[in-house]
Amino acid sequence: MCEKTKPSSQATHTMQGASFQHSHLKGRHVYGHAVVQALLRSGDQVYPFAMERYDPEGKSKIALACEMIQAVPMSTCRTYVLMDSWYPSSSVLQTSAERGFHVISGLKTNRIFYPQGIRQSLKSFASYISKSDTDLVTIGSSAYRVYRYEKAQSLGKRRTAAVLERGGRF
């Protein structure tokens, strides 16, 4: 989010392409530009790869993310896509899977799963997970509980999702 810093009453020129966007950091809408970006990491080095300004009248942020994932060069190493919890929609996950990439992301509790063919929100699904169903993972000084969700897909492929919970709710 690139927020406008000067009020319109003081601006000598209007800012092209700006619109109101929700800022999670500020907890309110701000006037400015929203960007979708991709960074590539190799070892300890991080490189800018792609950046697109989001235009509410153009492509969706999800469509922009899918295009960026499709443009990432193939590697002989295992490739991970790390994304904000807003992005793991079915199209972004499918695009990543088609490229052979593994996804790491938080999940919003309103995401829908189909365990045993039954439609459930992640929040509802998580209520059935007990602590004994999870593994403890420590990253730095933070502890997480991980639950692996595996679902068979057509063409003999399997999809695995790891549901992490911070703070020991499981």
Side-chain angles (χ1 to χ4, degrees):
M1 178 71 58
C2 302
E3 184 179 4
K4 183 177 176 183
T5 57
K6 192 180 250 189
S8 297
S9 60
Q10 297 174 11
T12 55
H13 302 288
T14 60
M15 189 163 51
Q16 293 179 334
S19 61
F20 281 97
Q21 305 288 332
H22 182 75
S23 168
H24 294 280
L25 184 63
K26 295 193 174 190
R28 60 180 173 85
H29 283 87
V30 297
Y31 190 72
H33 294 104
V35 295
V36 178
Q37 62 181 346
L39 304 172
L40 298 182
R41 179 179 175 184
S42 179
D44 291 335
Q45 299 296 312
V46 178
Y47 305 96
F49 178 70
M51 184 170 90
E52 288 281 334
R53 183 179 61 83
Y54 166 66
D55 178 0
E57 296 176 12
K59 295 177 185 175
S60 70
K61 292 177 185 177
I62 296 296
L64 292 172
C66 287
E67 287 177 4
M68 289 179 187
I69 292 167
Q70 289 171 338
V72 171
M74 295 304 289
S75 171
T76 56
C77 299
R78 184 175 274 187
T79 303
Y80 292 90
V81 178
L82 175 64
M83 66 185 74
D84 181 86
S85 63
W86 190 87
Y87 285 93
S89 66
S90 60
S91 59
V92 171
L93 296 175
Q94 184 65 37
T95 300
S96 298
E98 287 169 359
R99 303 275 295 158
F101 299 163
H102 303 272
V103 174
I104 300 172
S105 178
L107 294 174
K108 294 191 175 288
T109 57
N110 66 348
R111 296 294 184 206
I112 302 299
F113 282 77
Y114 291 86
Q116 298 177 351
I118 301 168
R119 185 180 195 274
Q120 289 187 32
S121 69
L122 178 60
K123 184 176 184 177
S124 173
F125 180 69
S127 69
Y128 297 105
I129 301 171
S130 68
K131 189 174 181 177
S132 63
D133 296 327
T134 65
D135 297 308
L136 181 63
V137 175
T138 304
I139 303 171
S141 61
S142 299
Y144 299 86
R145 288 268 166 201
V146 178
Y147 174 80
R148 295 213 175 268
Y149 170 79
E150 190 169 294
K151 179 182 179 190
Q153 296 291 311
S154 60
L155 305 175
K157 294 182 180 178
R158 297 188 80 72
R159 284 220 169 133
T160 303
V163 179
L164 285 78
E165 178 62 40
R166 186 175 182 181
R169 275 191 47 208
F170 292 130

